[in-house]
Amino acid sequence: MEEKILVLDFGGQYNQLIARRVREQHVYAEIKPYNKITPEAIVAEGYQGIIFTGGPNSVYDEKSPHYDPRILELGIPILGICYGAQLMAYMAGGRVDSAENSSEYGKTVVNTRPNAFWQDVPETSICWMSHTDYISEVPARFQTIAYTDKCPCAAMCDESRKLYAVQFHPEVTHTQYGKQMLRNFLFDVCGCKGEWKMEGFVEQSIARYKETLAGKKVLLALSGGVDSSVAAVLLHKAIGKNLTCVFVDHGLLRKDEGDFVEQTFRGQFDMNLIRVNAQERFLTKLAGVTEPERKRKIIGEEFIRVFEEEAKKIGKVNVLVQGTIYPDVIESGAGDASTIKSHHNVGGLPDVIDFDEILEPLRDLFKDEVREVGTQLGIPHALVWRQPFPGPGLAVRVIGEITWEKLEVLREADAIFREELEKAGAVSNQYFAVLTDVRSVGVMGDARTYGRTIALRAVTTDDFMTAEWTRLPFEVLERSSSRITNEVPGISRVVYDITSKPPATVEWE
């Protein structure tokens, strides 16, 4: 049986990050809500270890998420993190109280006491704390193995039952030796070997689909995004021309993007690809619309209509493929959708599309793992590592009414900005241009102008839940501004967005 770790979710904001950190050690991890799995099911699944996540609640509140104390007696190693540590103490008969004046937030000096859990971790190091409650009385059979100036129990353990708990967050980068602590738990406490690798996933998936989809007609909606692209190539390697990809070009893509997608999948991979050029159709539907949410709904609805029409031309389809990835599954709280036949699992696709089965080949992977699979499959780097792009495309980066002329202006400005950042080797997780609805006075060739304003946006983030605006070199911003105002007609001003998330979102709409 493949070794795997259960991340038992109690509502923590870092639940996905914990699972990713475990997988980085080549140990498979999966997240389950605390109220969706029983102790009996945990044993039956054969987990090597369990991690309790953090959460925003207080364990002594009756409405807070609790769990069956029998979990501590299953003989499976457990690591409790933050709320998970307090829950372990509470279930084991210890005491948890409000910290009052001793709550801790942010980087905190943690002092450790001798224990195998701290192997290759210094006696004093910086950890990331975020708690208003604390373990005031350690349960029987447990011993305190770390403390801070304010927190008498920053970590505890019962070595006989392989139960460990830390008040801080080892999964975040701010905890200096967090990765080593997780390694110690996974390999020394749980006995994992770290044999889960993406190479095995690719080979096994291709072999499996070659067998299970033999002779079946398979349809995939290809957006050109990372997830649908990787799913498409994975399936193509398995079933070849039995896969049909429908690429709906709604005219809201970045510069040359539609042609790039077509050349990649039809040219490089010789896929059965249908490109639907529906630019005029989408722009007609969007004419006069300025409200962001309405834009999104119109685009989503029209995409479904176009996809429906193309699917009907194909006729009976056995399998519909989705590019669903693990964060989608977690956030929706959905169960195994691979055998569900309802159209509701594909975001509202209509009943008239005739298919027997929905397949989600990437549903167990995080985004970074999907990119790794894409690289192994030979998908061009520019596509695998493309910038995150919203479903409605440039429609939510053109503020106000959408016209073809505005889209062309934005495409050019965006291409210049991305080119300058890439040429300079500037590091940022996402960067793009926005065409605002602001006009301002300018001077060009000794003449007064009244042109549009382009806003440039670049953010740095680990998970896109929070993001800092990127401190780009002034030289890069200067070149971008100069080129945009000189090369893009109608632009008289360029501004740089220095708002972090929160309070802003990454996208403007």
Side-chain angles (χ1 to χ4, degrees):
M1 183 181 290
E2 180 184 66
E3 62 183 20
K4 57 184 178 179
I5 297 293
L6 170 64
V7 177
L8 201 58
D9 182 19
F10 292 95
Q13 62 175 318
Y14 298 126
N15 58 359
Q16 293 183 35
L17 186 57
I18 293 170
R20 283 174 57 196
R21 292 288 182 252
V22 173
R23 291 189 186 189
E24 285 172 4
Q25 305 293 339
H26 301 296
V27 176
Y28 185 70
E30 56 189 19
I31 301 168
K32 300 279 187 185
Y34 75 96
N35 55 355
K36 298 289 186 182
I37 188 167
T38 64
E40 290 77 14
I42 291 174
V43 172
E45 285 288 335
Y47 292 105
Q48 296 276 115
I50 303 167
I51 298 177
F52 293 169
T53 73
N57 301 281
S58 295
V59 294
Y60 45 76
D61 183 345
E62 291 182 3
K63 296 178 181 177
S64 65
H66 288 169
Y67 198 80
D68 191 329
R70 287 183 299 150
I71 194 171
L72 304 181
E73 307 299 336
L74 296 180
I76 301 173
I78 302 174
L79 172 62
I81 295 175
C82 197
Y83 176 86
Q86 295 165 8
L87 181 63
M88 184 183 291
Y90 183 84
M91 289 193 296
R95 183 180 173 87
V96 176
D97 287 310
S98 173
E100 296 180 0
N101 298 323
S102 54
S103 57
E104 294 170 305
Y105 296 96
K107 295 178 181 179
T108 306
V109 176
V110 172
N111 306 288
T112 64
R113 290 172 177 157
N115 187 274
F117 185 78
W118 307 122
Q119 183 178 331
D120 297 323
V121 175
E123 287 183 17
T124 300
S125 66
I126 299 295
C127 297
W128 185 261
M129 287 282 195
S130 181
H131 69 102
T132 52
D133 294 340
Y134 76 109
I135 299 169
S136 56
E137 188 177 312
V138 174
R141 300 170 65 181
F142 280 79
Q143 60 175 324
T144 298
I145 56 174
Y147 62 95
T148 73
D149 287 345
K150 290 185 175 181
C151 185
C153 179
M156 66 177 191
C157 78
D158 175 354
E159 288 185 292
S160 64
R161 290 183 289 175
K162 297 186 176 181
L163 303 178
Y164 293 81
V166 293
Q167 183 59 69
F168 52 85
H169 289 271
E171 72 275 17
V172 303
T173 54
H174 302 297
T175 296
Q176 285 179 313
Y177 294 89
K179 187 177 288 188
Q180 183 61 45
M181 295 171 197
L182 289 173
R183 279 188 62 86
N184 292 343
F185 176 70
L186 295 172
F187 297 106
D188 298 338
V189 179
C190 299
C192 294
K193 297 178 181 176
E195 296 175 343
W196 184 74
K197 294 182 173 64
M198 282 290 100
E199 291 90 340
F201 174 86
V202 173
E203 294 166 5
Q204 291 163 18
S205 296
I206 291 173
R208 180 168 70 253
Y209 297 133
K210 191 174 287 187
E211 179 182 343
T212 59
L213 299 178
K216 292 183 178 180
K217 208 179 225 183
V218 181
L219 181 66
L220 182 146
L222 180 67
S223 69
V226 177
D227 304 335
S228 66
S229 297
V230 172
V233 176
L234 186 68
L235 268 296
H236 177 70
K237 296 273 188 185
I239 61 173
K241 293 292 185 178
N242 282 342
L243 171 69
T244 299
C245 295
V246 176
F247 171 45
V248 179
D249 186 348
H250 46 31
L252 305 168
L253 299 171
R254 290 170 288 200
K255 186 177 181 180
D256 300 329
E257 202 159 35
D259 293 340
F260 174 63
V261 170
E262 182 174 8
Q263 289 163 9
T264 299
F265 293 99
R266 184 173 282 150
Q268 180 175 336
F269 291 104
D270 190 29
M271 276 191 192
N272 190 4
L273 175 71
I274 298 171
R275 177 175 179 176
V276 186
N277 292 310
Q279 297 94 328
E280 190 174 333
R281 176 171 175 170
F282 276 83
L283 284 176
T284 300
K285 289 282 185 181
L286 290 164
V289 178
T290 60
E291 206 274 314
E293 220 33 56
R294 251 196 93 205
K295 289 181 188 178
R296 291 176 185 274
K297 287 178 180 175
I298 288 169
I299 294 165
E301 171 71 17
E302 201 59 23
F303 182 90
I304 290 169
R305 298 282 84 81
V306 175
F307 187 70
E308 169 192 328
E309 290 166 16
E310 294 303 319
K312 284 170 71 178
K313 293 175 188 175
I314 295 170
K316 172 68 177 177
V317 173
N318 302 111
V319 181
L320 185 68
V321 179
Q322 292 183 173
T324 308
I325 64 174
Y326 200 40
D328 303 328
V329 176
I330 297 163
E331 286 158 16
S332 68
D336 184 357
S338 60
T339 57
I340 296 174
K341 299 180 182 178
S342 167
H343 65 272
H344 299 293
N345 290 283
V346 283
L349 287 175
D351 290 306
V352 293
I353 296 182
D354 187 14
F355 57 89
D356 301 321
E357 181 186 350
I358 295 168
L359 179 66
E360 299 169 324
L362 308 176
R363 64 178 281 112
D364 293 328
L365 304 184
F366 286 105
K367 178 71 81 174
D368 52 338
E369 294 167 340
V370 173
R371 293 189 197 276
E372 191 178 335
V373 169
T375 300
Q376 290 179 27
L377 290 169
I379 301 175
H381 184 274
L383 205 160
V384 173
W385 292 96
R386 65 175 287 187
Q387 288 283 300
F389 195 54
L394 297 180
V396 292
R397 293 180 182 171
V398 171
I399 310 302
E401 183 182 6
I402 299 164
T403 66
W404 186 255
E405 182 256 339
K406 285 183 178 179
L407 288 168
E408 288 291 87
V409 166
L410 178 56
R411 269 190 267 269
E412 292 300 324
D414 182 72
I416 289 169
F417 183 46
R418 288 188 290 123
E419 182 183 315
E420 287 299 329
L421 259 72
E422 287 153 19
K423 196 160 57 177
V427 178
S428 178
N429 297 103
Q430 186 174 1
Y431 42 92
F432 54 89
V434 174
L435 180 62
T436 73
D437 55 356
V438 174
R439 285 182 178 270
S440 64
V441 175
V443 179
M444 287 188 179
D446 294 328
R448 179 184 182 276
T449 62
Y450 191 58
R452 293 194 173 99
T453 301
I454 284 284
L456 304 179
R457 178 81 159 137
V459 298
T460 304
T461 178
D462 281 337
D463 51 18
F464 286 92
M465 293 173 62
T466 61
E468 290 285 331
W469 64 275
T470 305
R471 277 64 171 171
L472 292 177
F474 288 155
E475 295 80 9
V476 174
L477 292 172
E478 182 180 25
R479 281 196 302 271
S480 299
S481 175
S482 177
R483 284 191 59 194
I484 289 170
T485 51
N486 279 283
E487 298 175 29
V488 184
I491 300 300
S492 62
R493 191 175 299 270
V494 175
V495 298
Y496 187 51
D497 182 351
I498 60 168
T499 321
S500 294
K501 176 187 179 183
T505 54
V506 174
E507 296 289 345
W508 274 44
E509 288 193 343

